[in-house]
Amino acid sequence: MPSSSPIYVTSPGLPPLDEFVQEIASIWESGILTHQGPKYRQLERDLEQYLRVDHAPLFANGHLALQVALRALGLTSGEVITTPFTFASTTMAIVECGLTPVFCDIDPTDFTIDESKIEALITPNTKAIMPVHVYGLPCHVEALEDIARKHGLYLIYDAAHAFGETFRGKAIAQYGDMSMFSLHATKVYNSVEGGALAFNGHDGLLAKICAIRQFGEIAHSADSELVGTNAKMTEIHAAMGICNLRHLSEYIDARRKAFLVYKGAFASCPSITTITYPADLDPNYAYYPVLVSGSCAISRDDIADALAKEDIYARKYFYPITSEFTAFRGRFPIQETPIAKSVSERILCLPLHPQMTPDDAKRIARVVLTTLS
Ligand SMILES: *Cc1c(COP(=O)(O)O)cnc(C)c1O
């Protein structure tokens, strides 16, 4: 029988209500609700600093940010080498922009794109590589940079899981040509819904990104010089982002405590493996995935069901791999990414969020271990 209230896989970081109300009071006074007003400009500056990049234009969500990135780089036809072990958004952004995703298999230990398999997939039509820092585990950034440079390809990171991390002394956003961060409610840091594109240099690129974000408009004119969309972040969302940024270290701290309880509990369990952060990563504790061994009699689904009976809701994240989506039926070869497919069938993300206590993590770990024993 459930012993307390349900525990979901995630729960958003929320600032104190009165702090948010105070933050939005000036919006009521100014009547400026959107169009890169004062809240937007403050958050953009705050995130440029936090992510340690020259530019961090903000968007209505991370998915639109990815799409705008591709269009601003002029990528409207050709192939993008990417991973099928990701959230729908990565693959959908590529397809929606008229590009063809070419799926590369993943590393079985950190679930990021396996760079040793990329070069065999490069053709004269390849334009870019779009890897994902899965669960906040950094991709093999130096090797990817070498491949991208050697073949003249753009390197665009889906960094939705890696907000604010530091890797090998560099901010995670400093790797590659551009990084997309999702500020969705389910992420480590949220503006309710939102997204950011982080990059260095390229001032002309910033202007292009901002134009595409707003119907392709040339600043202060009714004319459009580019084909654009509407992907603007509102002042209310920016205000939420400003408040949550002040509390982010508390959210990450609470996540870290639960993470360490899990890590201790599963350390000597032979049936599951969990993630190990590289020593030179300053992590954000975004997710706690467990990978059930292929030879274990208990399946990932058995564990998810046992947890659900206790009112604990883990998530099969990512399952299925995106190349298997019904929307793409028959379009992509699934058998060419066997590791991604196998991992997707054995992985389960346990609840991890700032409202969880170490005792919650203990209780969840006990259910998992009892199911496996
Ligand atoms: C959440 C997420 C996105 C999309 O972000 P939204 O802000 O929800 O549009 C993209 N990629 C990955 C890996 C994600 O987890």
Side-chain angles (χ1 to χ4, degrees):
M1 280 301 287
S3 56
S4 56
S5 50
I7 303 178
Y8 298 102
V9 70
T10 189
S11 175
L14 285 166
L17 180 59
D18 53 354
E19 185 182 328
F20 180 67
V21 170
Q22 202 180 333
E23 191 66 49
I24 62 173
S26 61
I27 299 176
W28 260 247
E29 284 154 23
S30 69
I32 299 171
L33 296 179
T34 185
H35 284 207
Q36 293 83 245
K39 298 297 172 193
Y40 173 95
R41 292 198 301 271
Q42 183 184 335
L43 184 62
E44 189 183 42
R45 267 197 316 274
D46 288 354
L47 293 189
E48 283 164 5
Q49 267 188 15
Y50 194 88
L51 298 170
R52 284 184 272 149
V53 287
D54 296 341
H55 306 295
L58 306 174
F59 297 83
N61 57 62
H63 182 70
L64 282 168
L66 261 189
Q67 283 199 9
V68 172
L70 291 169
R71 291 162 74 169
L73 292 171
L75 303 174
T76 50
S77 70
E79 297 165 5
V80 177
I81 297 175
T82 187
T83 166
F85 190 70
T86 184
F87 182 56
S89 173
T90 323
T91 307
M92 291 296 175
I94 294 168
V95 173
E96 283 187 285
C97 285
L99 294 149
T100 304
V102 173
F103 294 105
C104 180
D105 213 349
I106 59 170
D107 182 303
T109 58
D110 63 20
F111 317 125
T112 65
I113 199 163
D114 182 347
E115 72 279 359
S116 72
K117 295 179 179 154
I118 289 180
E119 285 193 291
L121 300 172
I122 294 175
T123 74
N125 288 326
T126 308
K127 302 285 175 61
I129 307 172
M130 190 182 280
V132 181
H133 299 302
V134 182
Y135 308 130
L137 291 165
C139 295
H140 311 160
V141 287
E142 283 96 2
L144 289 169
E145 213 128 320
D146 288 347
I147 295 170
R149 196 172 308 125
K150 180 172 158 199
H151 296 274
L153 304 174
Y154 286 114
L155 182 55
I156 306 156
Y157 282 106
D158 180 333
H161 295 182
F163 187 87
E165 292 186 330
T166 302
F167 184 49
R168 303 202 170 136
K170 267 168 72 168
I172 198 85
Q174 290 171 351
Y175 292 100
D177 292 299
M178 227 183 252
S179 296
M180 180 282 287
F181 294 93
S182 164
L183 316 185
H184 186 260
T186 54
K187 305 291 171 18
V188 167
Y189 165 69
N190 83 82
S191 63
V192 185
E193 292 251 13
L197 280 182
F199 59 100
N200 282 324
H202 308 296
D203 271 1
L205 188 57
L206 177 67
K208 209 166 167 190
I209 285 170
C210 294
I212 295 171
R213 182 177 61 188
Q214 191 163 324
F215 313 108
E217 278 174 16
I218 300 167
H220 311 300
S221 88
D223 190 15
S224 287
E225 96 189 306
L226 297 163
V227 176
T229 183
N230 180 2
K232 302 185 295 294
M233 174 181 274
T234 76
E235 289 291 282
I236 305 281
H237 291 88
M240 183 69 162
I242 290 167
C243 292
N244 266 336
L245 198 58
R246 292 187 200 117
H247 295 276
L248 181 55
S249 62
E250 299 154 34
Y251 303 155
I252 292 177
D253 210 46
R255 288 173 171 277
R256 183 176 53 81
K257 287 184 177 130
F259 188 102
L260 293 176
V261 169
Y262 281 143
K263 195 174 157 73
F266 298 127
S268 55
C269 176
S271 307
I272 51 178
T273 45
T274 68
I275 54 171
T276 307
Y277 290 127
D280 40 13
L281 176 74
D282 184 13
N284 62 10
Y285 303 95
Y287 296 91
Y288 200 88
V290 295
L291 183 67
V292 182
S293 153
S295 58
C296 181
I298 304 294
S299 73
R300 175 267 310 272
D301 291 359
D302 294 335
I303 297 172
D305 292 346
L307 287 166
K309 282 203 193 87
E310 299 287 330
D311 234 1
I312 298 162
Y313 301 97
R315 198 168 155 206
K316 297 165 197 175
Y317 194 55
F318 306 105
Y319 172 81
I321 53 175
T322 63
S323 50
E324 285 187 310
F325 282 175
T326 303
F328 302 137
R329 190 177 289 147
R331 260 173 89 177
F332 305 120
I334 297 156
Q335 62 283 4
E336 284 172 22
T337 59
I339 297 169
K341 184 161 169 61
S342 166
V343 168
S344 79
E345 286 163 357
R346 295 184 289 117
I347 199 106
L348 188 68
C349 280
L350 300 182
L352 186 63
H353 58 73
Q355 278 80 43
M356 259 178 68
T357 65
D359 279 342
D360 291 332
K362 263 182 220 155
R363 184 161 76 88
I364 294 164
R366 208 175 302 126
V367 177
V368 173
L369 292 169
T370 308
T371 311
L372 285 166
S373 66

